[in-house]
Amino acid sequence: MRVEFLGGVRTVTGSATLLEKGSSKWLVDCGMFQGGKDLEGRNWNLQPYQAGKLSFILLTHAHIDHSGLIPKLVKEGFRGKVICTKATLELCEVMLQDSGHIQEMEAEWQNRKGRRAGKDEAIPLYTMEDAGKCLQYFETVKYDEMLDLTAGVKVRFQDAGHILGSAIIEIWIEDGGEKKKMIFSGDLGNFDQPILRDPSVVEEGDVLWLESTYGDRLHKTKEETVEELLKIIQEAIAHQAKVVIPAFAVERTQDIIYTVGQFIRKGSIPSVPVYIDSPLAISATEIFKRNSDCFDQETKDLLLGGENPLEIPGIIYTRTTEESKAINEDPRPGIIVSASGMCDSGRIQHHLKHHLWREESHIVIIGYQAEGTVGRRMVDGAKMVKLFGEEIAVKAHIHTLGGFSAHADQKGLLNWLSHIRNPRLEVFINHGEEKISMKLGQLIGEQFHLKATVPQWREKKVLFGGIESVVPGEEVKEEFPPGEPSSVLFNHLDRTYKRLRRKLKRGKKSGEGFKEHWLRELEQVQKKLEELEKDL
Ligand SMILES: [Zn+2]
Ligand SMILES: [Zn+2]
């Protein structure tokens, strides 16, 4: 079993892991890189993803940092299956097309600038049409259903409680006579958040990919966060001002609708206009309404009682640009929820341009702000930010409310991990900024005495099931870079030898005896060492 870390390592975006068992290859997630030129440059070279040779993409959830490169991969020859939950498929339908639209707009904008500078024509990463085409490869799976993926590989999706349809993916693999279980945490949900269930508990596994977005901090509780939001809205109403909330179209927007709805229902605030200014968020809200089986008990009870927590008095959905522009002409105090969540594209930028310089306005940050984004600069206290090429002064109140996060905090992550009862569990920390992933890895080592590592981008590893990676041939050339092939190969063989010796010892101790294939593997190592000796 070989793996290659293609993305989402030492960064929060671009989640993708390539798994190879013999000649069978598949991906877990296929996310787009976002946040700066260097990272985004990776979106253009998908050669390491081996599009034409992949049989499957197992998709944890619909967020673009997990699904955003699927249309590009299909463009490059992927003809396998994308496996995900029904809600993920429905969300991908709107989110990938929206992403295609953004790519087209960006290319158009580049071209407008580029033509004046005499540059070559920019092409979009993929178009809306490409995004539409990729959907034919999607197949859905139910939560908790055991799926035979291919010979010797079983897969199960469990609720990750992160966004609608999100999943933790468990993979059971038989390879070279060994049976192992891998777990991909995907993005793990925050506990006790509105609408969704808490993340499912997993108790067994040998290798774990654990996300670490908030691996270095603790969120405030839901009660504190809700209380804080209430105070902000009350203050804004008292000053006839507006509250602007940049929110991811999926989940955070619906959480805000749910929470503000509760304020109005309980009479904590009067019925003020609540603008949902994002066509994507509007479509996503419709998808939420269709997938109520994914809701937690509290929300299901509300529905049973005849209340729709996603329909609140005063809510105004704005689809067209004209409607969107009209919002800022409305003199009444109110709430504007718009995307993108990290403020670096979309309609939210217009609202920020309109409100950031006003002292009475409130900007409420509720989601993760990646390095290099406009949202991050505001959170970090910038006095000026650039929007549409114009410097805008930041005078509005900027609030950060962690409790609405779609991600578990440090405590949540460690608590979730603590349920896996395997003292030899190997942990790969992903989906986090480098320092944060390192910190979480260190903590896991200290508290659980587990081997936790933070992989490098494009790092390859042989996890278990033999040493096929050292069989001579094309793949060896890829695996061992020119320059010092012998020492890399030697180290690899040395590690394999030690691993087999440990297995033999363990087998002897536990009375299992030794297994036939271990001997074959030892023979292969020996043969390879002899060859190497000749070369040297
Ligand atoms: Zn996510
Ligand atoms: Zn993510």
Side-chain angles (χ1 to χ4, degrees), residues 455-524:
Q456 298 278 357
W457 179 54
R458 302 270 341 251
E459 186 178 337
K460 294 178 185 179
K461 256 190 168 16
V462 175
L463 283 186
F464 45 81
I467 53 164
E468 68 234 67
S469 60
V470 291
V471 174
E474 286 266 86
E475 305 216 289
V476 176
K477 279 184 211 141
E478 250 180 47
E479 180 88 3
F480 306 111
E484 41 164 15
S486 52
S487 67
V488 177
L489 189 55
F490 182 80
N491 284 337
H492 180 80
L493 288 169
D494 188 51
R495 276 201 308 275
T496 312
Y497 171 65
K498 283 180 183 150
R499 182 167 56 84
L500 286 167
R501 204 175 53 179
R502 271 200 307 276
K503 274 190 200 167
L504 279 168
K505 270 191 182 167
R506 225 186 289 147
K508 203 172 154 194
K509 224 173 161 181
S510 66
E512 277 176 55
F514 88 96
K515 298 203 173 77
E516 199 62 42
H517 73 96
W518 292 349
L519 194 63
R520 281 202 304 278
E521 285 181 30
L522 265 175
E523 277 166 4
Q524 267 181 300

Side-chain angles (χ1 to χ4, degrees), residues 310-494:
L310 294 174
E311 278 165 17
I312 59 175
I315 200 157
I316 302 160
Y317 289 104
T318 45
R319 279 194 189 268
T320 66
T321 324
E322 289 68 40
E323 288 171 323
S324 172
K325 281 182 186 153
I327 295 173
N328 291 314
E329 281 150 29
D330 184 344
R332 294 175 293 170
I335 301 165
I336 305 169
V337 184
S338 187
S340 81
M342 296 197 280
C343 313
D344 50 355
S345 61
R347 292 180 179 180
I348 187 66
Q349 292 205 323
H350 289 278
H351 299 300
L352 289 174
K353 193 177 160 190
H354 208 86
H355 287 281
L356 268 178
W357 57 275
R358 291 172 199 262
E359 280 174 14
E360 72 280 12
S361 297
H362 293 259
I363 317 291
V364 182
I365 304 286
I366 55 169
Y368 187 76
Q369 306 298 315
E371 271 177 342
T373 59
V374 174
R376 177 65 162 262
R377 284 200 286 283
M378 294 192 314
V379 170
D380 288 346
K383 294 271 174 281
M384 302 287 266
V385 294
K386 210 170 188 174
L387 291 165
F388 307 105
E390 204 181 307
E391 292 284 352
I392 311 284
V394 182
K395 294 212 168 135
H397 306 264
I398 311 284
H399 313 266
T400 308
L401 301 186
F404 276 113
S405 170
H407 292 268
D409 63 2
Q410 187 186 71
K411 197 171 145 211
L413 290 168
L414 293 177
N415 177 41
W416 183 82
L417 171 69
S418 72
H419 290 98
I420 306 173
R421 300 170 310 216
N422 178 2
R424 282 196 292 274
L425 178 74
E426 184 166 4
V427 187
F428 296 122
I429 315 284
N430 66 4
H431 203 286
E433 280 167 17
E434 191 168 31
K435 262 196 282 178
I436 298 177
S437 296
M438 294 289 208
K439 173 106 205 247
L440 186 70
Q442 192 194 344
L443 214 62
I444 289 171
E446 284 164 14
Q447 286 192 13
F448 299 95
H449 309 291
L450 294 173
K451 186 177 157 210
T453 46
V454 182
Q456 298 278 357
W457 179 54
R458 302 270 341 251
E459 186 178 337
K460 294 178 185 179
K461 256 190 168 16
V462 175
L463 283 186
F464 45 81
I467 53 164
E468 68 234 67
S469 60
V470 291
V471 174
E474 286 266 86
E475 305 216 289
V476 176
K477 279 184 211 141
E478 250 180 47
E479 180 88 3
F480 306 111
E484 41 164 15
S486 52
S487 67
V488 177
L489 189 55
F490 182 80
N491 284 337
H492 180 80
L493 288 169
D494 188 51

Side-chain angles (χ1 to χ4, degrees), residues 12 15 61 63 65-66 162 187 407 431:
V12 284
S15 276
H61 64 290
H63 275 154
D65 62 313
H66 297 257
H162 165 64
D187 288 1
H407 292 268
H431 203 286

Side-chain angles (χ1 to χ4, degrees), residues 131-168:
K133 276 188 200 153
C134 86
L135 296 166
Q136 61 182 301
Y137 300 102
F138 279 59
E139 275 186 23
T140 62
V141 62
K142 286 199 174 75
Y143 282 132
D144 307 324
E145 182 187 335
M146 195 61 96
L147 196 73
D148 282 307
L149 195 66
T150 170
V153 183
K154 284 185 198 304
V155 170
R156 184 166 68 185
F157 284 53
Q158 294 220 61
D159 199 341
H162 165 64
I163 62 165
L164 196 78
S166 68
I168 295 162

Side-chain angles (χ1 to χ4, degrees), residues 277-332:
D277 186 33
S278 152
L280 185 58
I282 299 170
S283 306
T285 308
E286 288 308 314
I287 294 169
F288 265 69
K289 290 180 189 168
R290 286 205 296 274
N291 285 278
S292 56
D293 56 315
C294 296
F295 294 173
D296 64 5
Q297 202 51 49
E298 195 184 337
T299 313
K300 279 182 182 165
D301 289 346
L302 272 176
L303 281 169
L304 279 175
E307 256 187 86
N308 192 331
L310 294 174
E311 278 165 17
I312 59 175
I315 200 157
I316 302 160
Y317 289 104
T318 45
R319 279 194 189 268
T320 66
T321 324
E322 289 68 40
E323 288 171 323
S324 172
K325 281 182 186 153
I327 295 173
N328 291 314
E329 281 150 29
D330 184 344
R332 294 175 293 170

